[in-house]
Amino acid sequence: MNKPKILVIDDEEDIHFALNRSLGCDYDLLKALDAETGLEIAAAATPDLVITDIQLPGISGIEALNTFKSEYPNLSVIVMTAHSTTSRTIESTKLGAYEYFIKPPDTHELRSAINRALKDAEHQKKTTNVQMDRSDALVGSSQAMQNIRKLIGKTAGRMSMPIEAFDANGMKYEKYPIILITGETGVGKELVARLLHQHSNRSKIIVVNVAAVPANIFESELFGHERGAFTGAEKVRIGRFEEAQNGTLFLDEIGEIQNELQTKMLRVLDDWEFSRVGGNELIRINTQVIAATNKDLSKEVSEGRFRNDLYYRLKNLTIHVPPLRERKEDIEELTNYFLDNLRKATGKSSLRVNRRTMQTLKKYLWPGNVRELKNVLEGAAAQTDGEIAPEDLALEEDPAVSSAASVDESLNNGINLLLDNPPTEGAHQYIDRILTLNALEKANGNQQEAARLLGVSRNTIASKLKKYGLSKEITIASAKRGGA
């Protein structure tokens, strides 16, 4: 197996010797004593990673970093310097440096940063390959999917249109609209975010699962920290906002952010600047923020778990991804897509589903959405080399989803029956009258409560009673018998 190629640009022979001794067994180190030579080697050898000093003869490390990020946007660059300054750190991170070290770097920390960078690059490559094919979440010809594709195109266009703003000192800067993606777990919110990023002019995407970040390190993780900011902070840490400089920051499960941390998040999204933990200097960011949640944030606001000002800040541009049960016409296309991938991955060229199995898949409510469909098919494919039968599918109904779907199905059946045999007063008026009477029954005759159930005003209820010739004293029982 070929070792990853790392280009090291430094004018000190001692640094090359030390890095060769500590890293040479695991990586193929390419040596350059100045930036010009480093750029030539990069063009010829296509390294997987670059480590560069800032102080170099001729072209500086900052200039080299700028060139690397311009010509090789997916190439990670780790910066080293003998003298740490905040301005240099900001400048290098603003240009897209993956990590920043003081010379001589700690071997274990440097190795850890290298491995993270290589892993992120591999993940980015896989993601790009998926994007160049088709996104799992967007497979389907339903009207809902067509609408989302159009919305992604329009929204991605907005991502390339900065909004001019001025800071407290009157200095002009650019900020970009925040995008909120909503939808149940498993519908493909991250894939929508990656498609948005792909169609923007941003260089990279950084993904943060907010729910997975412990509250005690949340600020450090997102905003970074200065050396000595707290016990164990032995060096400057670049946070995710800085790491996503000139790129896209995807904040998944934003609805899980701790209440006490929502204020700081709001401040950053309002001002587009922040200070690292333990620092005083403000860092201006040029970052496209995309957030996603499977929660109803308006409900979270009404129940006091989410700040209303942060909610309104996030919902600048919203894309809602519908659950699979609301676009069942896409199930067959998704199934064929996943089976095609499974045939290629497993070599089982005979994998298929019969008509009975397809009917079962279409009838199921998919509480786990597209992700569940993919997992179910993968599990079934592991049990057979050919035709997947209904009994090969491990399907589990979600009672809440099942109940909601049953209501929808019953209502649709009733409406269709009504439209097939329309009443003399007209279907709309008939439904309105029955709905009003049933709401009054549910509310035990209380017009205010009936109005709340229907989402209308009390005056509307009174108007309906008058419209349908119903006395205020009418009993619910007689109303249900058709008394008017």
Side-chain angles (χ1 to χ4, degrees):
M1 182 177 178
N2 294 331
K3 294 189 290 187
K5 287 186 288 188
I6 299 178
L7 171 60
V8 179
I9 307 174
D10 199 294
D11 60 339
E12 296 182 46
E13 292 283 1
D14 288 349
I15 291 294
H16 288 286
F17 178 78
L19 293 182
N20 262 304
R21 188 173 59 182
S22 59
L23 304 174
C25 291
D26 300 312
Y27 311 103
D28 181 9
L29 300 183
L30 310 176
K31 175 182 174 181
L33 295 174
D34 55 61
E36 291 92 336
T37 304
L39 290 168
E40 291 174 3
I41 293 174
T46 57
D48 300 296
L49 178 75
V50 174
I51 299 175
T52 184
D53 188 10
I54 284 184
Q55 293 287 358
L56 293 169
I59 297 177
S60 71
I62 290 291
E63 291 175 283
L65 171 61
N66 194 21
T67 302
F68 278 122
K69 299 313 291 183
S70 174
E71 296 184 9
Y72 313 98
N74 295 322
L75 180 64
S76 295
V77 180
I78 292 175
V79 168
M80 297 188 301
T81 182
H83 306 286
S84 175
T85 65
T86 302
S87 60
R88 278 180 177 171
T89 305
I90 293 172
E91 183 65 19
S92 60
T93 53
K94 186 161 55 175
L95 291 173
Y98 187 86
E99 188 59 277
Y100 187 97
F101 285 95
I102 308 300
K103 294 168 64 176
D106 178 88
T107 301
H108 296 295
E109 291 183 356
L110 178 59
R111 182 182 290 273
S112 176
I114 289 171
N115 290 337
R116 287 200 315 273
L118 293 173
K119 185 177 180 181
D120 286 351
E122 185 62 28
H123 180 70
Q124 184 76 18
K125 187 187 298 183
K126 289 179 180 177
T127 301
T128 302
N129 289 338
V130 170
Q131 290 172 342
M132 289 176 67
D133 183 9
R134 297 193 307 182
S135 164
D136 297 349
L138 298 183
V139 171
S141 304
S142 65
Q143 189 60 51
M145 286 298 97
Q146 293 181 43
N147 291 341
I148 285 181
R149 291 188 189 100
K150 292 176 184 176
L151 193 53
I152 286 174
K154 292 179 181 178
T155 308
R158 290 283 301 275
M159 290 168 66
S160 302
M161 299 168 60
I163 303 165
E164 287 191 355
F166 296 86
D167 63 18
N169 297 317
M171 296 293 292
K172 185 170 72 172
Y173 66 95
E174 294 180 345
K175 61 181 183 178
Y176 294 81
I178 298 167
I179 301 163
L180 179 65
I181 305 172
T182 62
E184 295 177 5
T185 298
V187 293
K189 298 186 291 296
E190 182 175 342
L191 290 164
V192 171
R194 290 186 180 278
L195 279 173
L196 284 167
H197 169 76
Q198 179 191 358
H199 290 285
S200 73
N201 58 357
R202 295 279 164 170
S203 62
K204 58 186 173 181
I205 181 168
I206 303 298
V207 178
V208 178
N209 186 331
V210 174
V213 181
N216 62 322
I217 64 167
F218 186 87
E219 287 191 60
S220 175
E221 178 71 17
L222 264 70
F223 310 118
H225 62 250
E226 297 290 349
R227 183 178 181 180
F230 49 82
T231 303
E234 298 178 355
K235 72 180 188 73
V236 173
R237 164 73 186 275
I238 294 171
R240 294 300 198 169
F241 269 95
E242 281 184 86
E243 193 179 340
Q245 192 72 272
N246 298 316
T248 301
L249 179 64
F250 177 50
L251 299 171
D252 199 9
E253 302 303 346
I254 191 67
E256 302 293 340
I257 185 173
Q258 298 286 330
N259 201 273
E260 61 270 20
L261 298 169
Q262 293 178 21
T263 302
K264 178 144 190 176
M265 180 65 75
L266 174 65
R267 192 178 304 122
V268 173
L269 297 181
D270 271 342
D271 302 334
W272 296 97
E273 63 181 12
F274 61 90
S275 297
R276 294 197 194 102
V277 177
N280 296 315
E281 186 163 352
L282 289 174
I283 299 171
R284 171 73 61 195
I285 53 171
N286 180 352
T287 304
Q288 173 66 60
V289 175
I290 302 176
T293 181
N294 60 6
K295 289 189 172 183
D296 180 349
L297 291 187
S298 62
K299 182 179 179 182
E300 295 294 300
V301 169
S302 66
E303 296 180 358
R305 290 188 294 269
F306 204 86
R307 290 182 60 110
N308 63 339
D309 43 8
L310 178 57
Y311 168 56
Y312 288 116
R313 187 73 186 90
L314 288 170
K315 67 188 292 288
N316 191 312
L317 292 171
T318 301
I319 297 177
H320 178 70
V321 186
L324 187 54
R325 64 182 174 276
E326 291 182 8
R327 52 183 184 102
K328 287 195 169 186
E329 59 266 49
D330 291 333
I331 290 175
E332 185 168 354
E333 192 173 343
L334 278 163
T335 299
N336 291 332
Y337 172 72
F338 289 134
L339 285 177
D340 186 48
N341 287 344
L342 285 167
R343 283 190 287 266
K344 293 174 184 176
T346 64
K348 297 180 177 180
S349 57
S350 299
L351 276 179
R352 66 185 184 88
V353 297
N354 57 32
R355 189 168 59 85
R356 273 195 319 123
T357 305
M358 184 61 74
Q359 288 175 343
T360 301
L361 292 172
K362 288 181 177 180
K363 186 178 179 181
Y364 184 61
L365 296 174
W366 299 110
N369 294 294
V370 178
R371 184 184 300 155
E372 185 185 10
L373 173 60
K374 181 179 181 180
N375 292 339
V376 163
L377 290 172
E378 287 176 351
Q383 301 178 47
T384 180
D385 292 336
E387 186 174 272
I388 297 174
E391 51 269 24
D392 295 325
L393 305 173
L395 301 178
E396 296 182 9
E397 290 282 3
D398 181 318
V401 174
S402 180
S403 175
S406 296
V407 170
D408 287 346
E409 190 172 349
S410 298
L411 186 60
N412 286 330
N413 290 337
I415 289 174
N416 287 330
L417 183 62
L418 183 65
L419 293 176
D420 289 338
N421 303 277
T424 54
E425 63 184 303
H428 186 277
Q429 182 165 305
Y430 176 83
I431 292 174
D432 188 45
R433 179 169 63 83
I434 295 298
L435 192 59
T436 302
L437 293 175
N438 276 275
L440 283 165
E441 180 187 37
K442 186 79 173 176
N444 294 318
N446 185 311
Q447 293 184 26
Q448 187 67 42
E449 176 61 13
R452 187 191 68 78
L453 291 173
L454 293 174
V456 298
S457 68
R458 186 182 180 283
N459 288 338
T460 299
I461 292 292
S463 175
K464 289 179 184 294
L465 289 172
K466 182 178 179 181
K467 176 182 178 180
Y468 299 129
L470 304 174
S471 166
K472 289 184 181 181
E473 291 78 29
I474 187 172
T475 65
I476 301 303
S478 65
K480 290 198 73 178
R481 288 194 298 270

